Amino acid sequence: MSELNGVPSRPQDPLDSAQYDPINHLNALFSHPVTLSSVPATSRALNNHVSDLDKQIAQLVEAQAITNESSAHRVETAKADLAELFKRIEGVRERAIRTETTITEMTADIKKLDGTKKNLTVSMTALKRLQMLTTAYEQLRVLCKTRQYRECAQLLQAVIQLMAHFRSYRSIDQIAMLSRNVAELQRELLEQVCEDFEIVFAKGEVASKKGMLSEACLVMESLQDGGKQRIISWYCNTQLREYRQVFRGNDEAGSLDNISRRYAWLKRILKTYDEEHASIFPASWKVNEVLSKSFCEGTKEDFKGILSKAARRVDGKSLDVNLLLTCLQETLDFEQWLERRFSSDRASIDTMNVRDDRPLIFGKAVSEAFEPYLSLWVDAQDKQLSMMLPKYRIQPLRPADEEFTPTAVHASSIELFQFYRVTFAQCAKLSTGSKLLDLSQKFAKYLDQYADSVLSRFLPAEKAGPISINSAPQPTLEDISVLLNTADYCNMTTAQLSEKIRSKIDPELQSKIDFEKQQDSFLGVASAAIRFLVKRVEVEAEPSWREMRNISWSKLENVGDQSSYVSELVTKVKKKCGEILAVLSKDMYSRAFCDKVVDALVGNLINNVVLCKPISEVGAEQMLLDSYVLKKAFEELLTLKAEPGTHPPAGYLKHVNRTFVKVDSILKTLQVQANPAEGLVQAYFIHVGDKSDANFRKILELKGLKRQAQAELVDLFRVFVRSREEMGDTSNEETKLVDQSLVLSPLIVQGPNMAPITGGGSVVAGLGSASLQNQMNRFDPRDFGSAIMSAARDSVDRLQTPNMMSSLAGDRAGSDAGTTSSGTSAVTGLGIGGINDVSGSGTDSAGTAGQANTGINLAEGTSGSNLNENLRNLGRFFRRETGRFGSSGTS
């Protein structure tokens, strides 16, 4: 029995089915003759079922009939109730209308009385105001004649307010006449006050009649026809009349040479105002400020004319730049003086605003006249900057008598940006348009020059080869620290300068302000300084790498403790890094330096692993142990100068681990034996993870496998790759094969003892006395003995054929073409032709010639006798080939 939601469900009766078939049902009930005995019982059951169904149907029909009758009764009852409700609503509405009519009749008289009262009140108010206006007008006429200006001012304000009330009554003749009389009286007052001011100032009676003039100003402030502005304009013109006559009527007095006399004139006028006239005018009029603005406006127009005439001179003389700059500076100082004087007066009024946020009162009030000629000023700044840079080039990074500090910067950078700040502030006061854009372009120009010709010159030129012992003196670590700090200071200050210029320049020019190129230049200097410090560490590590290459990694029998070169390498690297970190002041650059050191040394480690081939499985395991020791040592570089117990940042540890994965992937693959071949291929897929057969060949070459074995393994590798491609690589992203490995692809691993060439595994390919790349073509006598021993052992232990040493004389025998096709190699440190493989094309003919010339015999005898014989043959070869060896070693 099926269940629904935990409740058993009843089995469906076949008789209830919509697709009921009696034949099928009977067949199911009486499927065998034996079941026919139950026919009577089945018949009775069916009859009883039919009877039950008839009873149920009758009950349902009766119930439905009763329900229909009750529903109809309820509908009729609801309709009757609605009709009764509508009747009641209509009765209420009629009673409301009757009530409203009754109330309106009762309050009609009251409304009429209210309207009458309102009209009487308005009429009485108007008559009273008219009486007041008439009385005030008559009194004002009398006071005006007697020049009682204080009382006039009060009455005038009252008259003006009363006339505003009667403005809508001007259609009445009497009101219109009174309005005209009041306007005429205002005009008479205006002319009378102006006449009084002119007479008093003309007769020099200001001191004795200050009170009358002060009261007259109150009258002028009450007038609506610009009386206040008329008095202020008259006063300004009166005070500046003599100034205009002197400086406009005389070319000599009005020249730029006498610009200081102009400004002194205004200062004298303002002093007179403060002492004699300030008490006459209300403080809210700001007459002294209006006077100064009028002076600045007139002076600006004068300067425009003077500068325009000077620019159009026909005698061939242009504007004197020094005079222009002097006048410009005096003008800026004068504007600042006015700003300080009047901004202090406004401070009490505008206390809620920050001073820097308030607009300038006298910004460009006079200096705007100089803006069209600012190109001369910008050129002068360009000339001054061009004279400053040569002096910076000859300055040392640190004065000899100055004590070093890790935060010190080059003094020239501070001086340069201070000059930039002052110059920018001056230009921003004069122009925020195209001239400020021109100045910013000059700034960018000399920032580029400062980075290229001043800062970069303290660093030696970067070269791919080693630095020779007799090269020019190298900068000290303290000098590099100062250089790094200076580049960082210039980068940050350039960003601040860019933001400051954008905030001042016109909005449509903001997009043209861009100092990113200059910032990149300073960051480039900082990066070059870091690379130089990394080179110093690489130089210290070079002897340890040489010791690593002298170990015969194919002959190791078991894995012991860390190799001897590791301890020396860790000691030297930590010592040099500690010295460098002690002079670096910023954690950002300490981190960058340690990151670069790890990258460089791991790149050198990979190069030296390739140089150490052939590498046995035990040798690879030993190298893997050495790599682990180096990784743990490099993880401590960043905390060498930190407090004891300080843990390096997680990001740095992640970088070290990610970098060492490169060399570990190679060593773990080399650690796997070539037999069974499937194991080596699978190990390559796991650790290297690409499908390049060229890179797989490099692993086989590092293991020192023979060409035939390599060919078999490569064929198997291709089968595995093809199988993966046909089946579809459904593995996750971590195990999915890539086309080229980023570690192996840059390496070029050729025949035995060929040096690797990487595409950038380290910061620079060696800076010591014997760089990795230089070992292919530069003779090193310190490695001469070990190179001969290695060549001899390789001849006996790996090649096992007399033709394998043929390429030592291959050039003499004309086997250059054959050597190229078979992949030549160089004996480590010798710089001569290498040992060819028998599988290379052209080997047979070249090998015969080589054997004849060298006398090397590898076909018979024991390994010991062959080794001694090969050493003797090599000695005879080098004695015969002294001239050729010398030329190839120095090429």
Side-chain angles (χ1 to χ4, degrees), residues 122-311:
V122 172
S123 301
M124 291 173 65
T125 303
L127 289 173
K128 187 175 181 180
R129 289 179 178 176
L130 180 61
Q131 182 183 5
M132 293 171 60
L133 176 60
T134 305
T135 303
Y137 169 72
E138 294 297 335
Q139 292 177 358
L140 186 60
R141 287 178 61 86
V142 175
L143 293 174
C144 180
K145 292 179 180 179
T146 58
R147 284 180 166 76
Q148 299 181 33
Y149 290 129
R150 182 180 295 277
E151 292 77 7
C152 282
Q154 298 174 358
L155 280 176
L156 183 59
Q157 292 179 1
V159 168
I160 292 174
Q161 291 176 1
L162 290 171
M163 282 305 304
H165 176 73
F166 289 101
R167 190 172 299 161
S168 59
Y169 299 96
R170 287 184 180 179
S171 59
I172 303 173
D173 295 339
Q174 290 82 357
I175 300 298
M177 183 179 296
L178 182 59
S179 177
R180 288 192 295 270
N181 292 337
V182 171
E184 183 64 26
L185 181 57
Q186 290 182 8
R187 285 192 292 272
E188 291 177 4
L189 271 173
L190 176 60
E191 296 299 331
Q192 182 176 312
V193 171
C194 291
E195 184 180 354
D196 289 343
F197 265 91
E198 292 176 1
I199 293 174
V200 170
F201 273 85
K203 292 183 178 181
E205 299 175 351
V206 177
S208 60
K209 294 187 177 182
K210 280 185 180 180
M212 184 193 72
L213 296 179
S214 178
E215 294 173 356
C217 288
L218 299 178
V219 175
M220 301 301 282
E221 193 168 13
S222 300
L223 292 174
Q224 297 179 343
D225 298 331
K228 179 181 75 172
Q229 190 61 39
R230 180 172 174 179
I231 286 295
I232 295 176
S233 299
W234 171 85
Y235 176 78
C236 293
N237 292 331
T238 301
Q239 297 299 311
L240 297 176
R241 184 180 298 115
E242 184 180 359
Y243 165 77
R244 291 164 180 164
Q245 292 174 355
V246 171
F247 288 97
R248 290 183 180 177
N250 190 327
D251 292 340
E252 181 179 355
S255 64
L256 293 178
D257 295 328
N258 293 320
I259 192 172
S260 57
R261 291 180 56 193
R262 290 176 177 267
Y263 301 144
W265 190 289
L266 178 64
K267 293 178 181 179
R268 180 171 56 81
I269 293 176
L270 291 177
K271 183 178 180 182
T272 302
Y273 172 84
D274 294 337
E275 295 176 354
E276 301 178 8
H277 304 158
S279 58
I280 297 176
F281 304 100
S284 61
W285 287 17
K286 299 179 182 177
V287 176
N288 54 350
E289 185 176 326
V290 177
L291 176 62
S292 300
K293 289 183 178 179
S294 180
F295 170 87
C296 292
E297 187 65 27
T299 304
K300 179 174 67 176
E301 296 300 323
D302 291 347
F303 285 165
K304 286 182 178 180
I306 293 171
L307 293 170
S308 178
K309 289 180 182 179

Side-chain angles (χ1 to χ4, degrees), residues 662-881:
K662 302 175 183 178
V663 64
D664 290 349
S665 63
I666 297 176
L667 297 178
K668 288 179 180 179
T669 307
L670 294 176
Q671 192 178 358
V672 179
Q673 295 182 357
N675 189 15
E678 292 82 357
L680 179 60
V681 174
Q682 292 296 339
Y684 181 86
F685 288 154
I686 294 173
H687 299 302
V688 179
D690 75 358
K691 44 190 174 184
S692 170
D693 56 346
N695 289 341
F696 184 66
R697 286 180 182 273
K698 295 175 185 179
I699 294 294
L700 303 181
E701 191 67 39
L702 291 177
K703 293 180 69 67
L705 298 180
K706 296 181 180 180
R707 293 294 181 181
Q708 183 177 358
Q710 290 187 23
E712 295 175 355
L713 284 168
V714 170
D715 291 340
L716 181 61
F717 175 82
R718 291 172 178 170
V719 170
F720 271 86
V721 171
R722 194 179 306 112
S723 175
R724 282 200 177 202
E725 291 177 349
E726 291 175 354
M727 296 176 60
D729 195 350
T730 58
S731 58
N732 55 35
E733 292 296 329
E734 296 182 357
T735 59
K736 189 175 181 179
L737 298 182
V738 297
D739 293 334
Q740 294 286 339
S741 169
L742 298 178
V743 180
L744 284 176
S745 295
L747 292 176
I748 298 179
V749 184
Q750 296 182 350
N753 299 324
M754 279 295 293
I757 302 175
T758 65
S762 62
V763 174
V764 67
L767 286 170
S769 58
S771 66
L772 298 178
Q773 183 178 356
N774 200 49
Q775 293 204 17
M776 294 178 8
N777 53 17
R778 189 177 295 274
F779 173 69
D780 187 354
R782 290 170 292 186
D783 291 337
F784 183 71
S786 60
I788 294 179
M789 294 296 295
S790 298
R793 290 192 185 97
D794 289 340
S795 301
V796 176
D797 299 325
R798 293 176 60 239
L799 304 179
Q800 297 299 326
T801 174
N803 290 333
M804 293 304 176
M805 290 294 290
S806 61
S807 64
L808 287 174
D811 290 339
R812 288 181 56 204
S815 60
D816 290 340
T819 302
T820 302
S821 60
S822 62
T824 58
S825 62
V827 179
T828 305
L830 296 179
I832 61 175
I835 304 172
N836 287 339
D837 196 283
V838 293
S839 62
S841 60
T843 304
D844 293 339
S845 60
T848 305
Q851 185 178 3
N853 285 283
T854 60
I856 297 176
N857 185 5
L858 303 177
E860 59 185 40
T862 63
S863 298
S865 61
N866 285 337
L867 174 61
N868 294 331
E869 183 65 22
N870 287 339
L871 289 175
R872 287 193 296 270
N873 291 335
L874 283 172
R876 288 194 298 270
F877 169 76
F878 283 120
R879 284 194 297 272
R880 289 197 309 268
E881 303 297 329

Side-chain angles (χ1 to χ4, degrees), residues 538 541-542 544-546 548-549 553 565 569 597-613 615 623-624 626-627 630 634 655-668 670 687-688 695 698-699 701-702 741-750 754-766 771-773 775:
E538 288 187 285
E542 180 57 30
S544 301
W545 298 130
R546 189 181 306 114
M548 174 187 178
R549 295 191 295 271
W553 295 96
Y565 75 92
L569 177 64
V597 167
V598 172
D599 293 339
L601 294 182
V602 170
N604 290 340
L605 176 60
I606 294 175
N607 289 339
N608 282 280
V609 166
V610 176
L611 285 173
C612 292
K613 69 183 183 68
I615 303 172
M623 283 186 176
L624 195 60
D626 296 342
S627 172
L630 291 177
F634 291 171
H655 174 76
V656 174
N657 291 329
R658 186 171 56 247
T659 306
F660 268 90
V661 165
K662 302 175 183 178
V663 64
D664 290 349
S665 63
I666 297 176
L667 297 178
K668 288 179 180 179
L670 294 176
H687 299 302
V688 179
N695 289 341
K698 295 175 185 179
I699 294 294
E701 191 67 39
L702 291 177
S741 169
L742 298 178
V743 180
L744 284 176
S745 295
L747 292 176
I748 298 179
V749 184
Q750 296 182 350
M754 279 295 293
I757 302 175
T758 65
S762 62
V763 174
V764 67
S771 66
L772 298 178
Q773 183 178 356
Q775 293 204 17

